[in-house]
Amino acid sequence: MGEVIAPKPHAFSGLIFEIEALHTSAFLRLHKRELMDFESKRILVGAITDEVNVLHPLLSHLLRNINDVTHVEYTHGTNEKGADFIVTRRDDALNTIHHIGIVAKVGKILQNFDDVARQIEECQQPRSVHGGMAQVRLSEVWVINTSSISRNAEDKIQDKYRAQKITFVDGEKLTGLIDKYAEYFWYDVPTNVGSYLQDLSTRLTNLDAELSVLKGLNCPDFYISPEIQEFSRPTYSRHARPHRARLVNFQEVVRKETVSFLEGDMGYGKSKTARAISLYYTAPERFKQFGVIPVFISFRAFSDGGKTLAEILLAETKDYFSISAYPSSEFLFVLDGVDEAIKKGSNWQERLQAAIKEAKATSKFHLLLTSRPLRLLDEPTSAYAGSSRYELKPLSLSKLINFVEQACTNMSLPKRLFEDLQKSDLFKQLPQSPIAAALLSRLISQNTNDLPSNLTELYAKSIENLLGRWDIDKGGCTEKEYRDAERVVLVVTTYMVENQLPHMNYSEAVGLIEQWHKDRNTNVSLDALKERVFFKSGIFIVDEEQQLLSFRHRSFGEFLFALSSQRNNKPPPIQSSFNPYWVVPQYFYTGLLGDCKQHLHDLLSHEPKNETESWLKILFMPDYFLAGYQTPYSIVEDNLYKLFLDAANLFNRIRSGDTKTKLAELPEMHLLWFFQRLIRDCFEYEYFRKSITTTLLKIDGEIADPKIKEIALFFASCYAAQLGDASGFEFLLKHHPTEKLQLSVALAIKLEQETNKDFTKLGILKTHDKKLQLLLAGGKDHKLLNGLGASRTLDDLFEKPVKSRRIEGNPS
């Protein structure tokens, strides 16, 4: 869409463009839009009587949305020379530009059409457009009115001005155009707000289409709504039963909460959900119902731009309406991709906190932030402070199958194929995410007999598919053309990922390809190469207006960087492997290696340089084990226990006050919950089930502080419990009786038992519960009470921040 000049300030200064009383009363009579047939809408258009304050603003927005219109200039006034608007329209067939004069009228045009005739005649005069930059003559005149045009009047006008091309748009045709380009009109939404909402809706819809991995499959547009649940809060509570995460209506959540934080792993649809939420509130009926106006930008743009939320709101809306004119409206800021702003030297945390603080301090502001899990040491008390956290659940198997079926709906695939997919190892190993389902759908559409077996292979085959390798039989490209395209994609990707660029200047990317081509004698057309890489592949998207290049999906860049690293025998540096930005490229690199015992040993042997790396190694190492699943399983059985001992040591340091993070602000029981929760998330894969017994035995046999071993065994028991296996807790209690356990661990086991109905009847856990109750009741001296009353000790564990006390000897 080309530049649009808003109505001149002097013409509309101070007006809110509210629909006039007659229009409003007509709406009350017609009631809801779904009850309005076309005739009712036509009557509503015919009821407009205010040409300047109602019809002109409506046309200003409507005209610039008509196909091929590149510019709309409002010219109504003393110097209009007959035309209320000048429309610039491109004829793509001939690559020519036409200028059209718009004569706008309310009411009927009958035989007495002197005013219309005068305006048409004046439209013959030359005039300046584009702010005086060009002198043009109008090649056409559109006469637009809200009611009917008599046949006699139309014939006389056409006859009188036969040298000019004149098109009449009466109330009926105008109604059809409003239906198509300005639907908000039917909801009695002020035109300036309605035009903003519709423009944002168009932008988001186009962005959805550009970013869709299904682009080119010729499937109908669809959206599989994800399930979103509360992020579990600390559940080790002294007096209340554990709180279970519940599913939420996220459309309502973001409107009611001041700050909402939505998390999801790679490909789970965070950005798609952010756009869907924004689109939901661009609907005019929602504005009428809730008065919410959405603002959508990337967090990277917010972080780099340095503006406040209020300044962004002003910048986004200034060409449409004055914020002060809508004192009862609320504003929903959707800042997508917090994790994409994390890079060395950036101030993303300060910007994040500034946004949260401003939203909390402004009564009409609501803020939605999306991110991959940040997994920072102090995330619950720092990055997420003051926000309500939610997470995207994996797609259920039925939704995953439904996604693939809808994507392949036009391909007449046999039903048996989908039945076989549900039983295949592929579905057991793939993440249940929209990106995985979309990539799988593309492959099925090309070759149903050669499906991948894991996520890395899915990406490898998908990139080949996107670059056209399997078009060879169709004459689409040769093997040589494919190879060249793949290599230059790797060149561009390496530059972008190494420099942590979410996008780059398109001309700079073209320059990289041109230099690559110049240095080689490939005998492949440079123009064809650029076309295949940037426009045909679907790997990249090009913003032609801003001349920026970006990945259609961030994970494409992460996989391609890993592929480039493997091809060039230049692995991602081990020292960066436990950094949130680099973990996915390292994951894919490990997956491409497949059988990589030495590589996994190198990752395991990396000594964390600081507390953050200590934490992230515990969290990310399981992903690397999963990626390198072709490696002999002994690598897992021989080393998994070390991660639980590392976690126990880290926990003990933090609860002793030896930490630079804000985790020390948590009570010990909440800190223990936080650790085990993240450990559950990282190890909840069937792949690790085989290691449960070995891991427990190795922890218990390690020469280490008994209290550290207790905590490590507890963490390992939680990972086993996540897989439905109670053997960890049974082993722990068998070798470490209740009366000898640290009180925090003993309490946590009891609380874990209460949260899992399958464990409540286990004899050893029931015995543990009884013993603990007796100890706490004073029936037996518990040595960890250290001479204190049980009540005071429990208060310490559940309510007192660990930073307020340095613990000597056994913590209590």
Side-chain angles (χ1 to χ4, degrees):
M1 186 65 67
E3 179 190 4
V4 177
I5 295 181
K8 293 179 180 178
H10 74 270
F12 297 122
S13 178
L15 293 174
I16 305 176
F17 305 146
E18 295 287 357
I19 305 303
E20 57 182 317
L22 179 60
H23 185 187
T24 302
S25 63
F27 249 107
L28 294 174
R29 291 195 305 273
L30 292 169
H31 201 43
K32 296 181 180 179
R33 175 182 179 270
E34 56 266 29
L35 301 179
M36 293 173 61
D37 56 18
F38 187 82
E39 179 61 20
S40 299
K41 296 175 184 177
R42 190 191 63 76
I43 293 172
L44 190 60
V45 172
I48 297 174
T49 59
D50 191 332
E51 181 180 307
V52 173
N53 295 333
V54 177
L55 181 59
H56 285 183
L58 177 62
L59 292 178
S60 178
H61 177 249
L62 185 152
L63 291 168
R64 57 190 167 95
N65 282 284
I66 293 176
N67 291 342
D68 303 323
V69 169
T70 61
H71 184 83
V72 175
E73 192 165 333
Y74 185 64
T75 54
H76 176 77
T78 55
N79 298 314
E80 68 182 33
K81 294 184 179 180
D84 297 304
F85 297 88
I86 303 296
V87 170
T88 303
R89 195 177 190 194
R90 178 183 295 279
D91 184 337
D92 285 333
L94 300 175
N95 195 27
T96 54
I97 295 294
H98 300 283
H99 295 92
I100 304 165
I102 305 297
V103 175
K105 295 294 178 187
V106 295
K108 298 179 179 180
I109 298 178
L110 303 173
Q111 292 191 36
N112 183 15
F113 52 80
D114 292 346
D115 193 36
V116 174
R118 175 190 58 78
Q119 288 188 251
I120 293 173
E121 192 164 323
E122 291 179 1
C123 283
Q124 299 176 30
Q125 301 175 43
R127 67 203 58 236
S128 298
V129 294
H130 300 287
M133 298 294 291
Q135 285 282 323
V136 300
R137 286 186 180 274
L138 303 180
S139 59
E140 188 175 352
V141 175
W142 292 355
V143 178
I144 302 176
N145 75 308
T146 58
S147 188
S148 60
I149 304 174
S150 73
R151 184 66 184 177
N152 191 34
E154 188 173 334
D155 289 343
K156 286 186 176 183
I157 291 172
Q158 292 282 17
D159 183 65
K160 183 174 182 178
Y161 302 103
R162 62 175 62 94
Q164 283 184 278
K165 182 178 179 182
I166 301 174
T167 300
F168 293 94
V169 179
D170 62 11
E172 184 171 345
K173 291 178 182 177
L174 179 58
T175 301
L177 291 173
I178 294 171
D179 242 356
K180 186 173 183 180
Y181 298 116
E183 193 179 26
Y184 56 82
F185 182 80
W186 311 128
Y187 293 92
D188 194 17
V189 173
T191 298
N192 50 355
V193 173
S195 61
Y196 168 80
L197 294 173
Q198 187 142 332
D199 284 355
L200 178 58
S201 174
T202 300
R203 176 162 68 90
L204 291 170
T205 301
N206 291 341
L207 186 59
D208 257 353
E210 281 297 314
L211 295 175
S212 174
V213 181
L214 294 174
K215 191 174 184 179
L217 284 189
N218 192 31
C219 64
D221 185 32
F222 67 92
Y223 175 56
I224 302 292
S225 179
E227 291 182 336
I228 298 175
Q229 67 180 19
E230 294 175 325
F231 200 94
S232 299
R233 298 180 178 87
T235 58
Y236 289 167
S237 173
R238 180 181 174 186
H239 300 294
R241 293 195 65 81
H243 168 84
R244 289 188 176 275
R246 62 183 179 88
L247 295 177
V248 298
N249 181 335
F250 203 58
Q251 294 161 341
E252 289 187 7
V253 162
V254 296
R255 177 170 52 83
K256 294 178 179 178
E257 296 281 358
T258 300
V259 182
S260 306
F261 210 115
L262 176 65
E263 288 184 44
D265 282 308
M266 179 190 73
Y268 271 47
K270 300 173 297 298
S271 293
K272 176 73 174 178
T273 301
R275 294 192 296 272
I277 290 292
S278 301
L279 276 168
Y280 179 84
Y281 283 105
T282 61
E285 64 269 30
R286 308 263 157 63
F287 175 76
K288 289 297 293 183
Q289 184 178 4
F290 304 119
V292 173
I293 299 175
V295 177
F296 180 92
I297 63 169
S298 71
F299 183 83
R300 183 69 175 259
F302 168 77
S303 182
D304 292 347
K307 293 181 179 178
T308 65
L309 295 179
E311 289 169 341
I312 288 171
L313 176 60
L314 179 62
E316 293 289 314
T317 61
K318 65 181 180 181
D319 291 335
Y320 296 91
F321 59 88
S322 170
I323 299 168
S324 62
Y326 296 93
S328 62
S329 289
E330 299 184 355
F331 300 92
L332 170 63
F333 296 86
V334 180
L335 273 55
D336 181 38
V338 171
D339 56 301
E340 294 186 21
I342 300 175
K343 61 180 181 178
K344 190 175 181 180
S346 73
N347 64 338
W348 71 272
Q349 283 180 297
E350 290 81 0
R351 295 290 293 143
L352 176 60
Q353 289 302 311
I356 292 174
K357 184 177 180 180
E358 184 181 0
K360 292 180 70 177
T362 311
S363 61
K364 299 296 183 180
F365 282 8
H366 302 271
L367 177 61
L368 167 61
L369 300 148
T370 72
S371 177
R372 289 182 182 178
L374 297 180
R375 290 173 174 169
L376 298 172
L377 277 172
D378 53 354
E379 60 178 11
T381 52
S382 176
Y384 301 105
S387 65
S388 299
R389 295 175 64 187
Y390 302 90
E391 55 187 343
L392 284 159
K393 292 188 66 179
L395 291 178
S396 64
L397 182 60
S398 60
K399 283 195 173 186
L400 199 63
I401 293 293
N402 185 28
F403 189 109
V404 177
E405 285 181 331
Q406 288 198 49
C408 301
T409 188
N410 293 330
M411 299 172 196
S412 301
L413 297 174
K415 185 177 180 180
R416 179 62 183 270
L417 171 66
F418 299 105
E419 294 173 352
D420 290 344
L421 274 175
Q422 295 179 57
K423 302 173 185 176
S424 69
D425 288 339
L426 172 65
F427 261 62
K428 297 175 184 177
Q429 295 183 38
L430 282 185
Q432 291 168 260
S433 64
I435 185 69
L439 292 176
L440 181 61
S441 300
R442 292 195 68 92
L443 293 184
I444 290 174
S445 72
Q446 296 291 322
N447 186 344
T448 59
N449 298 316
D450 187 23
L451 295 176
S453 59
N454 57 63
L455 186 63
T456 303
E457 189 177 337
L458 174 61
Y459 270 79
K461 290 181 177 294
S462 296
I463 292 297
E464 290 179 352
N465 173 269
L466 290 167
L467 283 173
R469 185 172 196 177
W470 310 119
D471 289 342
I472 296 171
D473 294 338
K474 305 174 187 177
C477 77
T478 65
E479 179 71 13
K480 187 176 184 180
E481 289 171 332
Y482 163 75
R483 289 295 180 192
D484 283 2
E486 182 189 55
R487 290 185 186 279
V488 297
V489 164
L490 296 183
V491 169
V492 175
T493 295
T494 300
Y495 179 82
M496 292 181 69
V497 176
E498 281 186 343
N499 291 284
Q500 301 188 30
L501 302 175
H503 49 70
M504 68 181 294
N505 188 282
Y506 174 61
S507 62
E508 190 177 0
V510 169
L512 291 174
I513 288 187
E514 290 175 343
Q515 186 62 49
W516 184 93
H517 189 269
K518 179 182 177 182
D519 293 342
R520 292 160 179 80
N521 184 17
T522 67
N523 200 31
V524 169
S525 165
L526 175 61
D527 289 338
L529 187 61
K530 290 188 288 189
E531 179 72 14
R532 176 169 294 279
V533 168
F534 293 134
F535 298 102
K536 288 185 176 180
S537 72
I539 293 172
F540 298 104
I541 56 173
V542 178
D543 184 331
E544 296 186 10
E545 184 175 340
Q546 299 187 55
Q547 286 295 292
L548 293 175
L549 178 83
S550 58
F551 292 107
R552 185 172 299 279
H553 195 275
R554 178 180 168 186
S555 59
F556 287 174
E558 292 166 319
F559 171 80
L560 286 164
F561 180 81
L563 182 63
S564 176
S565 299
Q566 184 202 33
R567 294 277 175 84
N568 296 315
N569 196 26
K570 185 182 177 183
I574 294 294
Q575 60 267 28
S576 299
S577 299
F578 303 109
N579 176 298
Y581 182 84
W582 292 106
V583 66
V584 176
Q586 185 66 269
Y587 170 86
F588 279 130
Y589 178 78
T590 306
L592 287 167
L593 293 178
D595 188 344
C596 52
K597 187 173 183 178
Q598 185 57 51
H599 177 66
L600 289 172
H601 267 303
D602 291 343
L603 290 167
L604 282 162
S605 300
H606 173 66
E607 287 295 330
K609 297 188 295 291
N610 51 48
E611 188 176 358
T612 300
E613 283 200 3
S614 297
W615 205 190
L616 297 180
K617 182 179 179 181
I618 296 164
L619 296 175
F620 288 153
M621 199 61 221
D623 292 333
Y624 299 144
F625 281 138
L626 288 166
Y629 77 99
Q630 292 175 316
T631 306
Y633 195 69
S634 59
I635 189 73
V636 178
E637 292 183 307
D638 292 344
N639 292 283
L640 199 64
Y641 78 100
K642 297 175 183 176
L643 298 178
F644 295 105
L645 287 167
D646 288 345
N649 277 301
L650 184 57
F651 171 81
N652 197 50
R653 283 169 49 194
I654 294 173
R655 73 169 172 178
S656 300
D658 181 14
T659 178
K660 296 179 181 179
T661 74
K662 293 185 179 180
L663 286 176
E665 296 177 5
L666 296 176
E668 182 175 333
M669 291 304 296
H670 289 191
L671 181 66
L672 187 61
W673 175 89
F674 176 64
F675 265 75
Q676 65 81 30
R677 163 60 196 257
L678 288 179
I679 284 171
R680 285 174 183 269
D681 287 347
C682 295
F683 291 90
E684 61 173 352
Y685 299 97
E686 282 295 318
Y687 180 74
F688 295 115
R689 182 185 293 278
K690 186 179 175 183
S691 291
I692 291 173
T693 300
T694 305
T695 298
L696 294 167
L697 289 171
K698 283 185 174 292
I699 292 172
D700 202 49
E702 186 73 1
I703 300 175
D705 182 338
K707 299 308 176 186
I708 297 298
K709 288 165 61 174
E710 278 181 19
I711 298 167
L713 284 170
F714 172 72
F715 289 156
S717 299
C718 288
Y719 116 72
Q722 190 70 15
L723 295 172
D725 189 330
S727 63
F729 290 126
E730 291 178 312
F731 180 93
L732 175 56
L733 291 171
K734 181 178 180 180
H735 293 83
H736 300 266
T738 303
E739 59 272 13
K740 294 184 179 180
L741 284 175
Q742 300 167 76
L743 185 54
S744 57
V745 174
L747 289 166
I749 293 173
K750 170 182 168 57
L751 292 167
E752 287 293 332
Q753 179 194 16
E754 291 179 356
T755 64
N756 193 320
K757 63 181 180 180
D758 295 329
F759 295 173
T760 55
K761 297 181 180 179
L762 292 177
I764 196 166
L765 292 181
K766 291 171 70 175
T767 300
H768 166 73
D769 187 18
K770 291 177 181 177
K771 284 184 177 180
L772 183 60
Q773 295 300 327
L774 287 172
L775 290 167
L776 294 177
K780 229 180 215 185
D781 179 38
H782 193 301
K783 67 177 182 178
L784 292 181
L785 295 182
N786 291 323
L788 300 175
S791 176
R792 183 177 171 189
T793 304
L794 293 179
D795 286 343
D796 285 351
L797 289 173
F798 284 99
E799 299 174 17
K800 196 172 183 179
V802 295
K803 72 176 183 180
S804 65
R805 55 194 176 94
R806 291 194 60 85
I807 305 170
E808 298 178 0
N810 295 326
S812 58

